[in-house]
Amino acid sequence: DQQVKQNSPSLSVQEGRISILNCDYTNSMFDYFLWYKKYPAEGPTFLISISSIKDKNEDGRFTVFLNKSAKHLSLHIVPSQPGDSAVYFCAASVGSNYQLIWGAGTKLIIKP
Amino acid sequence: NAGVTQTPKFQVLKTGQSMTLQCAQDMNHNSMYWYRQDPGMGLRLIYYSASEGTTDKGEVPNGYNVSRLNKREFSLRLESAAPSQTSVYFCASRPRGSGNTIYFGEGSWLTVV
């Protein structure tokens, strides 16, 4: 039973446009959410996070939105750049618990 | 600026062989983790160490053992490798007070034939 789901295995977006990556969760106890980015042959790197007391967090071109009632979060990248092509993972946890639960990832391809 | 370093990067084992994946971090982090990543699945926690001298099981510990040798090093051992352990393994570390932001190594690709 996957508690964190990324239903789109891949997403293709034109350079300069907005990329929207989605993540759904089932555990209402999750209160901290993160997005990680992974290039081939490298480890995941932290991108942005949000706690459940907020519904939006912004960092440059990256914004994460949290809809607690729908148990849904999304990552917006505006504008999309070729270097954004990577696999994006969302992860969730209960409080400061070490045990992050991860989605399966979405491969983002930015087309020139 | 090494961060989290894993060795080896690639390994092919025969079924039943044993091996140890090594991990070291130079960021003075308290917690360390071993994950595996399989196609179509998220990262799954194998074992973790909240601090030097302690280790605990994660989501998928069967077939693995770990050692937190000191604050810097956390090794993962496969005593009798099975084809189901073919995967990419990531070591990670987390400083105290960082929330849940963790820092990953580059990964170790293991194939068991």
Side-chain angles (χ1 to χ4, degrees), chain B residues 67-105:
Chain B
S67 296
R68 183 75 182 266
L69 304 169
N70 47 56
K71 192 171 186 179
R72 289 188 65 246
E73 298 172 290
F74 188 40
S75 61
L76 178 72
R77 182 159 178 85
L78 287 71
E79 290 291 352
S80 178
S84 61
Q85 294 179 303
T86 293
S87 189
V88 184
Y89 292 85
F90 290 99
C91 179
S93 67
R94 179 172 73 101
R96 187 177 296 172
S98 77
N100 275 323
T101 305
I102 60 176
Y103 300 83
F104 286 88

Side-chain angles (χ1 to χ4, degrees), chain A residues 2 32 34 36 38 40-46 49 87 89 93-105, chain B residues 9 33 35 37 40-45 48 56-59 90 94 98-107 109:
Chain A
Q2 280 189 294
Y32 194 73
L34 305 91
Y36 275 75
K38 185 184 178 303
E42 294 185 9
T45 54
F46 171 73
S49 64
V87 176
F89 291 97
S93 71
V94 178
S96 59
N97 186 311
Y98 64 90
Q99 195 152 358
L100 289 169
I101 306 299
W102 296 78
Chain B
K9 199 168 181 70
Y33 310 85
Y35 286 91
Q37 186 197 2
M41 301 186 76
L43 294 158
R44 291 184 293 168
L45 184 64
Y48 72 101
D56 283 286
K57 295 178 180 179
E59 183 185 356
F90 290 99
R94 179 172 73 101
S98 77
N100 275 323
T101 305
I102 60 176
Y103 300 83
F104 286 88
E106 293 188 337
W109 275 253

